[in-house]
Amino acid sequence: MKIRGQRECTDCGARWSYYDTGSVECPDCGSLRSVGVEEDRHLHTDSPAELDLTEPREAVDARPLREVADTASDLAREYVRKRGFVRGGDLQRLDDTYLAAQELRHAADVVGRGLDLSDDEEWYFLALLRGADVDPETNPDADRRPAPGEVPEAMHPIRGLAYAEAVAEYRRDLADWADENEVGDEGRDALETLGDHVKRVQALDGDVDADTAELLVSAARDVGEYLRAGDADALASARERFGRIA
């Protein structure tokens, strides 16, 4: 939606950025009576959100794994629901935390259904739980999500479907941003091709190898970089990756 980012409280006069808080509540006095004070409205789809998996991680040794998975799924689902990729008119990157939340949500749903899990599948879920809320840029030594070659074959569809859904949501925001910014034919062609690949993976219920899922995400990031910065190298990279997606 398009909104005015700067708001002013009609009770105390304080001003703040809706883009930063995601709320019309005054941060100074708590009043809900505020007005937008900018003349222009900007496309905005993102809301402040934090993925904190401390509770389910601490419960691993104390509660049944199904209950741990249900809690993790709820937290990841709520995080995904709040997130978007346009902030105050500025296009954002498809970030690792969003991908991790999507993947954890799908893996947790499988565990939560109580199906018989192999040791590899249980390890995969617990590895996601340990690393999904880790930012590799700020905490490079912490546990991370499994690399493509580490994902058990039985869980390839989980990663494939999670990544396809993440890219689908990202592409939706890219398309809306493109409409607002008069993107040319090359950018729109790239968006269409990206959408075709997403639909294919979704039609397969995510049943593609982990390297293919990784290529899809990398291509989506390339398309985003081209739209945001007009980077011709990023567009060429996206096209090369499209050609390699099996």
Side-chain angles (χ1 to χ4, degrees), residues 47-117:
S47 295
E50 180 181 2
L51 182 62
D52 184 354
L53 300 170
T54 303
E55 179 185 351
R57 271 200 299 266
E58 292 180 345
V60 166
D61 294 327
R63 291 164 50 193
L65 195 60
R66 286 182 61 183
E67 294 181 13
V68 173
D70 287 343
T71 300
S73 177
D74 289 343
L75 291 171
R77 193 181 306 275
E78 179 65 11
Y79 177 83
V80 166
R81 185 188 66 80
K82 291 181 178 180
R83 286 293 316 281
F85 302 99
V86 183
R87 188 175 303 139
D90 294 329
L91 190 58
Q92 308 298 308
R93 190 171 183 267
L94 175 56
D95 57 276
D96 284 340
T97 304
Y98 184 86
L99 286 171
Q102 285 281 20
E103 187 174 7
L104 179 62
R105 179 172 69 88
H106 284 279
D109 287 346
V110 171
V111 176
R113 288 197 292 269
L115 302 176
D116 291 334
L117 298 177

Side-chain angles (χ1 to χ4, degrees), residues 152-205:
E153 188 173 348
M155 302 302 266
H156 280 183
I158 297 299
R159 176 161 286 193
L161 189 59
Y163 277 21
E165 289 193 10
V167 172
E169 292 299 322
Y170 187 54
R171 183 195 172 279
R172 184 175 295 114
D173 277 8
L174 291 180
D176 289 343
W177 187 90
D179 288 341
E180 292 292 320
N181 290 273
E182 299 181 354
V183 168
D185 290 342
E186 288 190 323
R188 294 190 179 278
D189 287 345
L191 282 172
E192 184 175 353
T193 303
L194 181 63
D196 290 341
H197 284 296
V198 167
K199 290 175 183 176
R200 175 183 171 274
V201 175
Q202 290 176 324
L204 294 170
D205 289 330

